[in-house]
């Protein structure tokens, strides 16, 4: 009955914040979900289970049944499947080899749910323990974007494939080595098989792990003796960065780049041996490969919070911006990722804007590769939390660049673009340029046809615009918004429901 009590909670009368309200709604959703799971009176559900267990040969019927089962059991999303995997692993441990037949059925069914969701994880019994990084806090909510769609584990070496999706390197390489030539998640044919490191996401994962005191091994491990040997190389490599021979400098920069990404000890040794000024001095060297490696080394060094300040004080920001403008494709992408990492410090946000970093980021967002666009969007979002940078982004043409992204469905960057629009729309001086009738029509279209997350983001932007311009709200209603608001208020995500209800109230005032 707890969920019924929460359903009737008088939020407006008790004066709680939106954040607390959101947490209560999340708990309520979980209670409702548990109630659904415990319901044993669903005859159709029972029949579906029997059909799957009997393993009928009609593949089409099986898939239709599986999709219906997955929907009823709410085992369609990455997060839900991951949570179920952990629960089943725990159950197997508790059973300790007993009830093998029922355990087998459970595992087979979970495998099938993962297959229709585009996830390839065959050996659930191979490791029945909770990952080490979750032993101390098994209930920790890990952001979906940090989990590999194939393994459902936190990514330690995320890479981007031709479809623009990110996977754990080891998992996607195994997929490709098996002869697959499509994206596991979208089934889209791959134009090429190259893997591009997703440095921006890797840095986000590292920072999140540090904040939540999780210890995970990033990248592939190697014997301790080899790691020690490589650490001993660092002083000589730092010296080689200042060599008069170009080849020596190139090799040293490449090795420093690799070592700086491996662990905090290496990063500390590089700084202790005077590596930072040597690396910064080479960023402007007229050799694009040296630029790539030194910019990426700075990106890796910036993983550690104190280094973000040291890198900026060392004069690296204008040099990174120059590579962003004129470097190689990889150099530009890694420069964008480096600026994002540095911008986690507020004073660096301001410095990057003052030194001219916003315009080339907008250029990369408009004209870059898929990975470049994603890195640029992440950096821009963080940078325009600083108000003067909002105006710089507007002057650089951020609005048409974002509209172009919204129009390109293949990019799958609707949420990123709308998140930036929301920050721009929140400032009075930027709102007029963002709030046009044509843009409102785009928002309504996304609310009609987008994913649940797309709808949530579009509703947030529309509410921000509508609260400050009644005519835009009237235009949205004339474009067929109201019926979709009613649906979302009942079936959308908790945040989407809240935004939809606010828009319904606003529309009543406008009509």
């Amino acid at each position: 009955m707890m969920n019924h009590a929460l359903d009737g909670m008088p939020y407006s009368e008790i004066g709680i914040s939106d954040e607390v309200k959101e947490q209560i709604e999340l708990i309520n959703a979980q209670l409702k979900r548990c109630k659904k799971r415990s319901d044993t009176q669903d005859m159709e559900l029972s029949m579906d289970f029997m059909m799957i267990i009997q393993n009928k040969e009609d593949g089409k019927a099986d898939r239709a049944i599986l999709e219906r089962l997955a929907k009823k059991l709410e085992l369609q999303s990455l997060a839900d499947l991951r949570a179920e995997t952990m629960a089943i692993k725990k159950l197997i441990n508790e059973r300790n080899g007993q009830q093998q037949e029922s355990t087998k059925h459970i595992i087979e069914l979970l495998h099938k749910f993962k297959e229709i969701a585009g996830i390839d994880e065959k050996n659930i019994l191979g490791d029945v323990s909770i990952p080490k990084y979750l032993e101390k806090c098994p209930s920790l909510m890990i952001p979906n974007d940090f989990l590999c769609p194939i393994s459902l584990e936190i990514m330690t070496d995320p890479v981007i494939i031709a479809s623009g999706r990110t996977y754990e390197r080891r998992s996607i390489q195994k997929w490709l080595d098996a002869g697959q030539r499509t994206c596991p998640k979208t089934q889209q044919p791959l134009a090429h098989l190259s893997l591009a490191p997703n440095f921006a996401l890797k840095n986000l994962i590292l920072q999140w792990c540090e904040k939540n005191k999780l210890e995970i091994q990033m990248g592939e491990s190697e014997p301790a003796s080899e790691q020690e040997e490589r650490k001993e190389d660092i002083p000589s490599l730092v010296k080689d960065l200042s060599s008069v021979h170009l080849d020596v400098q190139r090799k040293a920069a490449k090795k420093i780049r690799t070592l700086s990404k491996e662990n905090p000890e290496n990063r500390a040794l590089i700084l202790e041996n005077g590596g930072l000024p040597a690396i910064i001095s080479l960023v402007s060297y007229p050799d694009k490969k040296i630029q790539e490696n030194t910019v990426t080394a700075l990106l890796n060094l910036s993983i550690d919070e104190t280094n973000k300040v040291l890198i900026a004080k060392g004069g690296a920001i204008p040099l990174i911006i120059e590579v962003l403008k004129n470097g190689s494709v990889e150099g530009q992408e890694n420069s964008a990722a480096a600026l994002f990492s540095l911008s986690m410090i507020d004073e660096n946000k301001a410095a990057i804007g003052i030194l001219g970093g916003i315009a080339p980021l907008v250029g990369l967002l408009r004209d870059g590769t898929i990975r470049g666009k994603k890195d640029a969007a992440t950096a821009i979002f963080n940078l325009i939390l600083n108000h003067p940078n909002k105006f710089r982004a507007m002057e650089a043409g951020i609005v048409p660049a974002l509209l172009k992204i919204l129009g390109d469905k293949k990019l799958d960057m609707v949420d990123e673009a709308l998140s930036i629009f929301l920050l721009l729309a929140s400032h009075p001086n930027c709102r007029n340029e963002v709030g046009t009738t044509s843009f409102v029509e785009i928002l309504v279209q996304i609310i009609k046809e987008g994913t649940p997350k797309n709808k949530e983001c579009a509703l947030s932007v529309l509410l921000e615009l509508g609260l400050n311009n009644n005519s835009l709200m009237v235009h949205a209603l004339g474009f067929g918004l109201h019926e979709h608001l009613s649906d979302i208020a009942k079936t959308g995500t908790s945040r989407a429901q809240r935004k939809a209800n606010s828009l319904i109230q606003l529309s009543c005032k406008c009509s």
Side-chain angles (χ1 to χ4, degrees), residues 450-463:
T451 66
K453 181 66 176 176
N454 292 165
K455 293 178 181 181
E456 181 183 303
C457 293
L459 288 165
S460 299
V461 179
L462 183 58
L463 180 60

mmCIF file of all heavy atoms in Angstrom, residues 450-463:
data_model
loop_
_atom_site.group_PDB
_atom_site.id
_atom_site.type_symbol
_atom_site.label_atom_id
_atom_site.label_comp_id
_atom_site.label_asym_id
_atom_site.label_seq_id
_atom_site.Cartn_x
_atom_site.Cartn_y
_atom_site.Cartn_z
ATOM 1 N N GLY A 450 9.871 11.157 -30.362
ATOM 2 C CA GLY A 450 11.191 10.828 -29.828
ATOM 3 C C GLY A 450 11.168 9.686 -28.823
ATOM 4 O O GLY A 450 10.123 9.150 -28.465
ATOM 5 N N THR A 451 12.370 9.310 -28.377
ATOM 6 C CA THR A 451 12.502 8.316 -27.320
ATOM 7 C C THR A 451 12.027 8.937 -26.001
ATOM 8 O O THR A 451 11.887 10.170 -25.911
ATOM 9 C CB THR A 451 13.965 7.887 -27.160
ATOM 10 O OG1 THR A 451 14.731 9.014 -26.679
ATOM 11 C CG2 THR A 451 14.555 7.407 -28.483
ATOM 12 N N PRO A 452 11.787 8.128 -24.960
ATOM 13 C CA PRO A 452 11.384 8.718 -23.669
ATOM 14 C C PRO A 452 12.346 9.792 -23.173
ATOM 15 O O PRO A 452 11.924 10.826 -22.653
ATOM 16 C CB PRO A 452 11.359 7.502 -22.734
ATOM 17 C CG PRO A 452 11.010 6.353 -23.628
ATOM 18 C CD PRO A 452 11.716 6.652 -24.925
ATOM 19 N N LYS A 453 13.645 9.555 -23.347
ATOM 20 C CA LYS A 453 14.629 10.544 -22.907
ATOM 21 C C LYS A 453 14.571 11.790 -23.794
ATOM 22 O O LYS A 453 14.671 12.922 -23.296
ATOM 23 C CB LYS A 453 16.036 9.929 -22.951
ATOM 24 C CG LYS A 453 17.145 10.862 -22.489
ATOM 25 C CD LYS A 453 17.024 11.206 -21.025
ATOM 26 C CE LYS A 453 18.200 12.052 -20.559
ATOM 27 N NZ LYS A 453 18.050 12.479 -19.165
ATOM 28 N N ASN A 454 14.408 11.609 -25.117
ATOM 29 C CA ASN A 454 14.254 12.744 -26.039
ATOM 30 C C ASN A 454 13.083 13.618 -25.602
ATOM 31 O O ASN A 454 13.180 14.854 -25.552
ATOM 32 C CB ASN A 454 13.983 12.271 -27.466
ATOM 33 C CG ASN A 454 15.142 11.571 -28.136
ATOM 34 O OD1 ASN A 454 14.959 10.913 -29.156
ATOM 35 N ND2 ASN A 454 16.333 11.670 -27.572
ATOM 36 N N LYS A 455 11.966 12.971 -25.316
ATOM 37 C CA LYS A 455 10.756 13.698 -24.922
ATOM 38 C C LYS A 455 10.990 14.488 -23.639
ATOM 39 O O LYS A 455 10.570 15.642 -23.521
ATOM 40 C CB LYS A 455 9.594 12.717 -24.740
ATOM 41 C CG LYS A 455 9.135 12.053 -26.034
ATOM 42 C CD LYS A 455 8.017 11.058 -25.784
ATOM 43 C CE LYS A 455 7.584 10.383 -27.079
ATOM 44 N NZ LYS A 455 6.473 9.428 -26.878
ATOM 45 N N GLU A 456 11.662 13.841 -22.698
ATOM 46 C CA GLU A 456 11.961 14.492 -21.422
ATOM 47 C C GLU A 456 12.767 15.772 -21.636
ATOM 48 O O GLU A 456 12.458 16.819 -21.060
ATOM 49 C CB GLU A 456 12.736 13.506 -20.558
ATOM 50 C CG GLU A 456 13.120 13.986 -19.195
ATOM 51 C CD GLU A 456 13.941 12.951 -18.446
ATOM 52 O OE1 GLU A 456 13.457 11.810 -18.277
ATOM 53 O OE2 GLU A 456 15.073 13.278 -18.042
ATOM 54 N N CYS A 457 13.785 15.683 -22.484
ATOM 55 C CA CYS A 457 14.644 16.855 -22.754
ATOM 56 C C CYS A 457 13.874 17.934 -23.503
ATOM 57 O O CYS A 457 13.988 19.130 -23.191
ATOM 58 C CB CYS A 457 15.874 16.432 -23.560
ATOM 59 S SG CYS A 457 17.018 15.364 -22.676
ATOM 60 N N ALA A 458 13.085 17.533 -24.507
ATOM 61 C CA ALA A 458 12.326 18.500 -25.301
ATOM 62 C C ALA A 458 11.289 19.218 -24.439
ATOM 63 O O ALA A 458 11.081 20.441 -24.570
ATOM 64 C CB ALA A 458 11.653 17.797 -26.479
ATOM 65 N N LEU A 459 10.638 18.488 -23.547
ATOM 66 C CA LEU A 459 9.663 19.102 -22.634
ATOM 67 C C LEU A 459 10.324 20.149 -21.743
ATOM 68 O O LEU A 459 9.759 21.211 -21.477
ATOM 69 C CB LEU A 459 9.005 18.021 -21.770
ATOM 70 C CG LEU A 459 8.002 17.097 -22.461
ATOM 71 C CD1 LEU A 459 7.717 15.882 -21.596
ATOM 72 C CD2 LEU A 459 6.706 17.830 -22.783
ATOM 73 N N SER A 460 11.532 19.833 -21.263
ATOM 74 C CA SER A 460 12.254 20.765 -20.387
ATOM 75 C C SER A 460 12.555 22.068 -21.110
ATOM 76 O O SER A 460 12.388 23.168 -20.551
ATOM 77 C CB SER A 460 13.557 20.120 -19.898
ATOM 78 O OG SER A 460 13.305 18.955 -19.158
ATOM 79 N N VAL A 461 13.006 21.967 -22.365
ATOM 80 C CA VAL A 461 13.324 23.170 -23.143
ATOM 81 C C VAL A 461 12.052 23.963 -23.423
ATOM 82 O O VAL A 461 12.019 25.198 -23.270
ATOM 83 C CB VAL A 461 14.018 22.799 -24.471
ATOM 84 C CG1 VAL A 461 14.321 24.060 -25.287
ATOM 85 C CG2 VAL A 461 15.318 22.036 -24.208
ATOM 86 N N LEU A 462 10.998 23.261 -23.825
ATOM 87 C CA LEU A 462 9.739 23.949 -24.151
ATOM 88 C C LEU A 462 9.173 24.652 -22.927
ATOM 89 O O LEU A 462 8.658 25.778 -23.022
ATOM 90 C CB LEU A 462 8.729 22.946 -24.705
ATOM 91 C CG LEU A 462 7.390 23.531 -25.164
ATOM 92 C CD1 LEU A 462 7.604 24.592 -26.246
ATOM 93 C CD2 LEU A 462 6.467 22.426 -25.684
ATOM 94 N N LEU A 463 9.258 24.027 -21.760
ATOM 95 C CA LEU A 463 8.760 24.655 -20.539
ATOM 96 C C LEU A 463 9.549 25.914 -20.219
ATOM 97 O O LEU A 463 8.962 26.947 -19.851
ATOM 98 C CB LEU A 463 8.845 23.662 -19.375
ATOM 99 C CG LEU A 463 8.355 24.167 -18.013
ATOM 100 C CD1 LEU A 463 6.879 24.565 -18.085
ATOM 101 C CD2 LEU A 463 8.567 23.102 -16.939
#
